[in-house]
Amino acid sequence: MNGKRQHPPCFKAAVALEAMRAGAEPAGIAKANGIHISLVYAWRQRLIDAMAAAFQSDDAAAREREPDSRRLARQIERLRTERDWLCRVVSNMPRRKRANLVERDGDLSISTQARLLGLHRSMVYYQSEKRAAATGAPPPDTA
C-alpha cells in the first residue's frame, strides 16, 4: 500500500460537480469532504476537460479517425505493391546471386530475408567448401 487514499470515481464526480456550482468555495468543499483543496481544483479541471467529449457524437469521432485510417491503408497498399514488384524482379535472378543479397547483420532476420528472396533458409546458411576456403572459414563436414 502506498499510503495514498483512493477515492471512487463517483465521489470525485460529486466533488467536481459541487465545485462547478456558482459561488462554490473550493476550500469549503475540500474541508467538508476531508480532502486537500488541490484535489478539488484538479477534479474540477478534469470534469471541464471531459465535458466536450461527452457531447461529441460517435460519428464525429469516427470522422476524425477516418483520414488517418485511409492514409494508413494507402500506405500499406503502396508498400505491398512495392514488395510484390521487388519479389518479381529478384525472382528472375540466379539463386546464388539472391543468396549473396542476404545481410547477416541487417534489420530483418535471415529467415525473413530468405522468404522475401524466394530462397530456402538452409541455402542461405550453407557454405560451400570453395567459399569457405576463400573466406578462411573451416570447411563444412562432409561425413
Side-chain angles (χ1 to χ4, degrees), residues 54-127:
F55 293 104
Q56 186 178 24
S57 69
D58 292 336
D59 294 338
R63 271 186 265 126
E64 286 179 13
R65 288 190 306 268
E66 189 175 334
D68 283 343
S69 62
R70 274 191 275 154
R71 180 182 53 81
L72 290 173
R74 281 194 313 268
Q75 186 176 10
I76 289 169
E77 187 56 36
R78 181 181 55 81
L79 290 171
R80 186 176 289 140
T81 303
E82 290 173 359
R83 184 205 59 200
D84 292 345
W85 174 83
L86 186 60
C87 287
R88 260 195 332 272
V89 170
V90 168
S91 68
N92 294 329
M93 296 171 71
R95 265 190 307 205
R96 181 57 50 202
K97 204 170 191 177
R98 283 184 277 156
N100 289 335
L101 292 174
V102 174
E103 298 174 344
R104 301 216 180 256
D105 57 351
D107 293 336
L108 291 175
S109 69
I110 291 177
S111 299
T112 302
Q113 292 179 58
R115 182 177 46 80
L116 291 171
L117 291 168
L119 299 170
H120 291 285
R121 191 178 45 152
S122 60
M123 173 153 187
V124 175
Y125 287 112
Y126 175 75
Q127 225 181 11

Side-chain angles (χ1 to χ4, degrees), residues 46-58:
R46 280 183 66 188
L47 180 64
I48 291 169
D49 293 343
M51 275 196 255
F55 293 104
Q56 186 178 24
S57 69
D58 292 336

Side-chain angles (χ1 to χ4, degrees), residues 11-43:
F11 174 74
K12 294 177 184 181
V15 170
L17 281 173
E18 192 177 340
M20 293 286 292
R21 273 194 252 135
E25 290 291 326
I29 296 170
K31 189 172 184 179
N33 290 292
I35 57 175
H36 195 273
I37 190 169
S38 64
L39 289 177
V40 176
Y41 285 115
W43 295 344

